[in-house]
Amino acid sequence: MSNELKAAVLDVDGTLYPGALGVELLRALMAAGACHRTRAEGVLEVLRQYKQGALDFPTMATRAYTLYAQALEGIRCDTVDALAWKVWEEARRKLFGFVRPLVGLLREAGYGCVIISGSPQEMIQRVADELGVSLACGALFSRREGHYTGGVDLSSGALGEKSRIFDAVTRGQDVRLERCFALGDSLTDSALFERLGLPLAFEPEPALRVLAQQRGWAVATREDVLERTRELLAAPAREASPKPHG
């Protein structure tokens, strides 16, 4: 990337991929008998409660990451890595058809792509490798001596975390916030949308849709996301919110 950075931040779950890669990895671990099943089922139950409106987003994220980490406790890291590759061999075919053209479009326009998503790094790295993206960050679960410890190092899908991750991965570069692009579908993307000049809500979940309407953020579907992106990149830069860059 050049010293003056125009970044394009891409979410994965529900945005580039029709589902949640972390859930697919968890189900594969359960099927293989390779994790603590009761704790893994707890993750799925928390996600169900959120979708039913019984939990708010922050509570859901905290509980889900905690239980996910506990489900991995004591498991060998290479066991999870191997299953992540196996899951990805199937999941890679489900990436939305617009994904590769979108990455190409952004690169041609001079953007450096950054993938930041809430699923575990073990899965998000597979997406980045597939798309040739060098900067990628997913959830990080604590490791020691080749095993998971049951702790969480980074809850990448929690509210506000994507903005902090963005600052960390772009630190030291001259970032033009007003020309940076962000694509995502959920409330966890909102902090970045507030700061960056070119936010695009992709088939947004209800809470993000409300915010998009209030803030005047562009909205796209899988059918028109390439067109909406071209329009945003061609438009005069809007003033980004005056929040400091780390």
Side-chain angles (χ1 to χ4, degrees), residues 7-36:
V9 185
L10 306 176
D11 174 52
V12 175
D13 297 332
T15 301
L16 304 185
Y17 180 81
L21 287 172
V23 171
E24 302 215 10
L25 176 59
L26 189 64
R27 291 189 185 281
L29 287 163
M30 293 169 70
C35 67
H36 296 278

Side-chain angles (χ1 to χ4, degrees), residues 14-214:
T15 301
L16 304 185
Y17 180 81
L21 287 172
V23 171
E24 302 215 10
L25 176 59
L26 189 64
R27 291 189 185 281
L29 287 163
M30 293 169 70
C35 67
H36 296 278
R37 187 172 188 88
T38 301
R39 298 170 184 176
E41 289 173 345
V43 176
L44 303 180
E45 177 59 26
V46 165
L47 296 176
R48 278 193 293 269
Q49 289 179 13
Y50 172 68
K51 289 181 180 179
Q52 293 168 359
L55 292 177
D56 60 24
F57 192 97
T59 301
M60 176 276 292
T62 299
R63 291 184 183 176
Y65 280 121
T66 298
L67 285 165
Y68 206 119
Q70 291 173 352
L72 295 178
E73 185 177 2
I75 300 172
R76 290 177 57 91
C77 299
D78 56 9
T79 297
V80 178
D81 288 336
L83 265 177
W85 278 104
K86 184 176 179 181
V87 169
W88 181 241
E89 281 304 305
E90 175 66 26
R92 63 190 294 271
R93 297 193 286 268
K94 300 178 186 177
L95 284 172
F96 285 125
F98 68 80
V99 172
R100 290 176 179 82
L102 175 67
V103 171
L105 169 64
L106 291 166
R107 285 179 175 147
E108 288 173 10
Y111 282 79
C113 291
V114 182
I115 294 176
I116 306 176
S117 200
S119 280
Q121 180 70 13
E122 290 84 349
M123 293 305 309
I124 298 306
Q125 190 60 52
R126 304 285 78 75
V127 182
D129 292 345
E130 181 85 18
L131 300 177
V133 174
S134 59
L135 290 176
C137 187
L140 298 174
F141 298 106
S142 306
R143 299 179 174 207
R144 185 173 62 244
E145 298 178 354
H147 293 75
Y148 291 93
T149 68
V152 183
D153 286 341
L154 178 63
S155 304
S156 55
L159 287 181
E161 281 300 324
K162 287 194 175 186
S163 183
R164 287 187 280 272
I165 293 168
F166 176 80
D167 286 344
V169 300
T170 60
R171 186 166 290 124
Q173 302 203 56
D174 182 13
V175 182
R176 297 181 59 192
L177 293 179
E178 75 279 3
R179 292 306 302 169
C180 286
F181 172 85
L183 182 72
D185 74 314
S186 73
L187 202 57
T188 191
D189 298 294
S190 61
L192 265 181
F193 281 17
E194 295 279 9
R195 294 181 60 198
L196 305 187
L198 303 172
L200 183 56
F202 176 81
E203 298 184 359
E205 294 180 353
L208 183 62
R209 182 173 293 278
V210 170
L211 269 183
Q213 292 170 345
Q214 293 172 346

